[in-house]
Amino acid sequence: MTATPSPSDPGLLSRHELTVVADYSTLLIQDDDADLGEPEPTWFDALVENWINTAPGVVGIGAARPFDVPVTVDVRRTPPADDTELQQADHVTQASLALPSGRLLISMQDTRDKIPRIPLAPGNYAVRIYSHGLDTVSEDGREGEDRYHVALWPTDEDHPAQVLKRYPEPLPGGWFGSPGGPKGRRP
């Protein structure tokens, strides 16, 4: 994990390059002390439909493949200044995240100590997820150049889970029981 701020963007505090296992084609952006537990099936239904859902201290996001995926995390002072990436990304979602511990974890219900934590000031954050390369994913969902950019910044506003830009095709992913996903047991 790297933590290098960009001198060309004064709103950027740090950038972290991660490789994260998107188990069941899902990632959790969460407070280190949050516990998603066993959510109801309706929680996963919303996640499959929009690639975003929330629970206390957790923002769940979809991924195109259930394997290691590249995730860039930008910790910002302010929201992104322009909407260039919003226009370039395939799918964009946003939500609020309460981070009382001051430690951000990106995983899939795996909170082992070896997974890196990103230290932040405790508080409330807006989280925007830009999904790129969705059209590169193979039909079987095993290969692709998909990547995910997470931008977060402190906020006093509530940002309900929402889609800011929807991918025009059915969202790829390995969700069990989802359209285009393998059939079988839901996680």
Side-chain angles (χ1 to χ4, degrees):
M1 178 174 78
T2 60
T4 55
S6 170
S8 63
D9 184 351
L12 183 64
L13 293 171
S14 63
R15 173 166 285 161
H16 308 267
E17 302 287 342
L18 307 171
T19 300
V20 182
V21 177
D23 199 17
Y24 294 106
S25 294
T26 301
L27 299 171
L28 300 180
I29 302 166
Q30 68 182 67
D31 182 80
D32 194 15
D33 292 339
D35 182 6
L36 182 60
E38 293 293 328
E40 294 294 319
T42 55
W43 194 87
F44 290 107
D45 291 343
L47 187 58
V48 168
E49 177 73 23
N50 295 316
W51 271 24
I52 191 158
N53 205 354
T54 61
V58 177
V59 174
I61 65 169
R65 297 177 301 122
F67 302 106
D68 288 354
V69 295
V71 177
T72 301
V73 179
D74 284 351
V75 179
R76 304 186 52 81
R77 289 182 183 89
T78 58
D82 66 41
D83 65 356
T84 303
E85 188 169 13
L86 184 95
Q87 294 171 16
Q88 295 172 347
D90 294 324
H91 189 78
V92 182
T93 55
Q94 184 169 297
S96 290
L97 175 66
L99 200 73
S101 76
R103 295 179 310 276
L104 181 74
L105 172 66
I106 300 180
S107 177
M108 178 48 196
Q109 292 188 296
D110 184 352
T111 58
R112 293 176 295 191
D113 291 337
K114 71 176 188 169
I115 294 175
R117 273 65 172 170
I118 298 172
L120 299 170
N124 295 318
Y125 288 82
V127 181
R128 185 175 298 162
I129 303 92
Y130 303 92
S131 302
H132 295 272
L134 302 183
D135 60 348
T136 68
V137 177
S138 64
E139 192 171 312
D140 66 2
R142 295 183 182 273
E143 303 295 327
E145 297 298 320
D146 54 313
R147 64 192 188 288
Y148 305 89
H149 178 197
V150 176
L152 65 151
W153 60 92
T155 187
D156 293 329
E157 299 174 30
D158 182 37
H159 296 270
Q162 62 184 311
V163 176
L164 300 179
K165 179 181 179 183
R166 186 172 295 279
Y167 188 57
E169 304 292 326
L171 289 165
W175 270 99
F176 289 80
S178 67
K183 304 300 178 208
R185 178 180 74 72
R186 185 184 304 268

